[in-house]
Amino acid sequence: MTLNLKTTLKMKTTTLTPQPVNRCRAAMVALMLPFAGLEAAPEEKSRPLLLTEVLQSVQTQYPPYLAAMIEQDIANGRARQALGAFDLNLNAGSAFAPAGYYDGQTGYAMLEQPLSNWGGSVYGGYRLSSGFLPNYNKDRTSTDGEGVLGFRIPLLRDGTIDRRRATLWQAEIDQELANPIILRQYLDFIRAATISYYGWLASGQRLALTEELLRVAKERDSAIAEQVKNGASAPIVQVDNQRLVVSREIAVVQASRRFQATTIELSLFLRDLRTAEPILAPRTRLPSAFPTHSHPGESQLTVDIAKALIFRPEMRRIELTLEKYGIERRLAKNNLLPSLEVGVQGAQGVTGRTPRDVERTEIEAKIEFKVPLQRREAKGRVDVAEAQIERLQQEMLFARQRITADVRDSHSALLAAHEVLRQTRRNVDLAQQLANAESERLKQGATDLLALQIREQASFDAKVLEVEAQSEYFRAHANYRAAIAAKN
């Protein structure tokens, strides 16, 4: 039972994402859900899979993220546990002398409430004695017993802070500390899901390019076979083209396997919204192209660095940890103080029938002073707390420098990826022009099949490089958004 306390428990919940999370279900999903690949529902098979759908699945169904969210429940439970130090206590007991000159008995029942705004406690209850007790026994009461009410207050040590309140305050900080822990994992999961999605999209487009290259070789094989039949081409030309068909069929198998691997990887993030089981996205859900993108601006870098220094969870984690050690230092300095405790207790007899040397109403005041002469333990605690604070301050300084470097590096990678993508598109145009020209020359008999194969392969390689460049751009973009702690 807990009375009204000025130090109240602050129950906090994270608001990283707008999707609600059922905590009980989160634990069940994180611990019990096996991996099982499910195909998409029939009505979804023709709808292009967008990144927003994957991220929504991560926010609501991804087991590691749901497990991370439970960190908040753990912190809430620890804060509630710390409040237990201020619970109302019931103390009861009795004493009697089974042998000896005195045969009196005493009994008591007391309620004690620890104070949260200042150390000490208030207590009250009832006590009763009977039989023959010595005059010096302070437990003697009237025939019907007496009510007792009192308090104990520390004036120096344990006044403004003590271990109970320090533990509670630190537990409340731990509730806030759960937020940057969850946010760090959330940013990592979103980045991983984004990279996996664009890797899947890139492998799908590469498979389509490989199949197109094979289709061209097969169509040409039919034309060459007709030419050989008519005597217009040597049989060795058809053999060479058939070799090319086989090599491109091998490339299709390899590209298909790569696409299957990225599909399986993506299924860890893409989950059914009803059952939370992984979904193997079919090829029919591949978007026709990568999303449009804009040139990353140089002027935004300074603003993004400032935002990252504010919103990156590492900074908030160190700040909150500093607060915890600040409380620990206050507690250590509190233990350097001498103990000076005062108390007042009043006893009121229930009836007027009391022993002759006992008043019906008695008030007793107490004062107690204690101090360890060397206080080495308290001094050691102060040294430890101050050293930990100094260490965290150095960590915070380096964290600021590391975050700045992370943002600059990811921005540099994004600029480079954008430039590479621009150049690869130019390369595709030039390679395709050469391939088209070589195809026309072959039709006119001005070149041979080998030259055309070289041009076709060069055009294919250029297109694959463009796909990889687009994937790398969006990978760099995902890394940059994680570096600046962008949540959406």
Side-chain angles (χ1 to χ4, degrees):
M1 176 178 181
T2 304
L3 298 184
N4 293 331
L5 299 177
K6 290 187 178 179
T7 304
T8 58
L9 176 62
K10 301 174 182 177
M11 304 301 289
K12 301 177 177 66
T13 57
T14 55
T15 56
L16 299 180
T17 60
Q19 284 73 15
V21 176
N22 185 302
R23 301 290 174 78
C24 180
R25 187 178 184 214
M28 294 295 293
V29 169
L31 298 177
M32 300 179 61
L33 185 65
F35 175 83
L38 297 180
E39 293 187 357
E43 64 273 12
E44 295 179 348
K45 287 187 176 181
S46 59
R47 179 168 54 86
L49 177 62
L50 302 180
L51 178 62
T52 53
E53 183 177 341
V54 177
L55 298 187
Q56 181 186 14
S57 178
V58 171
Q59 294 165 354
T60 59
Q61 305 294 340
Y62 189 51
Y65 179 57
L66 300 181
M69 293 285 288
I70 298 176
E71 188 69 28
Q72 185 68 61
D73 295 332
I74 295 173
N76 292 342
R78 288 175 178 166
R80 185 175 183 180
Q81 178 183 348
L83 264 179
F86 300 95
D87 285 349
L88 182 65
N89 297 311
L90 172 62
N91 304 320
S94 64
F96 65 95
Y101 181 75
Y102 298 103
D103 64 351
Q105 300 89 34
T106 61
Y108 68 92
M110 295 286 178
L111 291 174
E112 183 177 13
Q113 174 62 64
L115 301 177
S116 61
N117 58 331
W118 194 270
S121 61
V122 296
Y123 59 90
Y126 174 79
R127 66 186 181 187
L128 174 66
S129 67
S130 62
F132 182 39
L133 293 172
N135 294 341
Y136 56 80
N137 193 317
K138 298 297 183 181
D139 293 332
R140 289 187 304 158
T141 66
S142 63
T143 305
D144 298 320
E146 63 185 14
V148 178
L149 183 64
F151 66 88
R152 291 186 293 267
I153 296 292
L155 298 182
L156 295 177
R157 185 196 299 179
D158 295 340
T160 58
I161 187 174
D162 59 11
R163 171 51 66 187
R164 297 173 305 173
R165 282 171 286 167
T167 301
L168 176 60
W169 296 338
Q170 289 176 334
E172 290 174 345
I173 292 176
D174 283 337
Q175 287 181 287
E176 296 186 43
L177 195 56
N179 289 341
I181 294 174
I182 296 172
L183 177 58
R184 176 69 273 161
Q185 296 187 66
Y186 172 79
L187 294 174
D188 290 341
F189 296 151
I190 291 297
R191 174 173 57 185
T194 302
I195 292 174
S196 178
Y197 171 79
Y198 286 114
W200 171 76
L201 179 54
S203 66
Q205 292 199 0
R206 179 166 185 163
L207 175 58
L209 291 174
T210 308
E211 290 175 340
E212 174 63 19
L213 196 63
L214 174 61
R215 184 192 62 80
V216 171
K218 285 184 174 181
E219 289 182 353
R220 186 167 53 237
D221 190 65
S222 300
I224 293 176
E226 186 66 25
Q227 292 176 356
V228 170
K229 182 178 179 180
N230 297 331
S233 296
I236 193 64
V237 175
Q238 185 177 10
V239 173
D240 187 22
N241 192 74
Q242 289 175 346
R243 177 202 58 81
L244 182 64
V245 169
V246 172
S247 66
R248 290 180 179 181
E249 285 176 341
I250 294 173
V252 168
V253 173
Q254 293 173 337
S256 178
R257 170 65 189 101
R258 183 175 180 179
F259 177 71
Q260 291 172 1
T262 55
T263 300
I264 294 172
E265 179 185 352
L266 181 63
S267 70
L268 294 175
F269 303 100
L270 179 63
R271 294 174 178 268
D272 187 90
L273 296 181
R274 298 177 299 274
T275 64
E277 293 188 356
I279 296 176
L280 295 174
R283 188 176 174 183
T284 54
R285 298 206 65 189
L286 275 169
S288 58
F290 279 87
T292 58
H293 60 275
S294 58
H295 186 279
E298 291 279 2
S299 59
Q300 188 66 20
L301 179 60
T302 302
V303 176
D304 286 341
I305 290 176
K307 289 181 179 179
L309 292 175
I310 297 173
F311 297 113
R312 277 280 287 265
E314 298 93 319
M315 298 300 297
R316 184 57 179 161
R317 179 186 61 81
I318 295 176
E319 290 172 359
L320 292 171
T321 306
L322 272 172
E323 289 185 29
K324 288 186 64 176
Y325 281 119
I327 293 174
E328 196 67 30
R329 179 172 59 181
R330 284 182 58 197
L331 181 62
K333 290 184 176 180
N334 165 78
N335 293 338
L336 289 173
L337 300 174
S339 175
L340 178 62
E341 186 175 279
V342 298
V344 176
Q345 176 177 297
Q348 175 70 45
V350 176
T351 65
R353 295 175 293 174
T354 61
R356 272 182 276 177
D357 58 338
V358 176
E359 296 291 337
R360 184 168 182 267
T361 301
E362 290 186 338
I363 297 178
E364 180 184 17
K366 298 179 181 180
I367 184 168
E368 184 179 42
F369 179 82
K370 292 189 300 184
V371 58
L373 296 180
Q374 292 177 297
R375 297 178 291 178
R376 289 179 292 186
E377 180 185 0
K379 291 178 181 177
R381 288 181 178 274
V382 171
D383 292 341
V384 170
E386 289 181 343
Q388 289 170 330
I389 289 174
E390 183 178 357
R391 182 191 65 187
L392 284 170
Q393 289 173 342
Q394 292 298 322
E395 289 182 6
M396 177 173 284
L397 175 62
F398 182 71
R400 294 179 63 89
Q401 297 168 350
R402 184 178 59 208
I403 289 172
T404 301
D406 285 348
V407 175
R408 291 187 183 279
D409 182 63
S410 58
H411 187 266
S412 173
L414 185 60
L415 287 175
H418 183 272
E419 178 61 20
V420 169
L421 179 57
R422 188 182 68 83
Q423 295 290 354
T424 55
R425 286 175 173 170
R426 176 61 176 161
N427 187 35
V428 167
D429 291 339
L430 295 175
Q432 190 61 48
Q433 290 179 29
L434 290 173
N436 293 339
E438 200 69 37
S439 178
E440 288 297 324
R441 293 185 64 197
L442 181 65
K443 293 177 181 178
Q444 298 170 5
T447 186
D448 56 15
L449 182 60
L450 177 60
L452 178 59
Q453 292 175 4
I454 294 174
R455 295 301 187 190
E456 286 180 346
Q457 186 63 40
S459 176
F460 169 77
D461 291 341
K463 292 176 181 177
V464 169
L465 283 176
E466 182 191 14
V467 170
E468 297 298 332
Q470 292 190 83
S471 177
E472 183 59 31
Y473 172 84
F474 286 104
R475 176 192 294 269
H477 189 262
N479 289 334
Y480 184 68
R481 290 184 61 79
I484 63 175
K487 301 176 186 178
N488 300 319

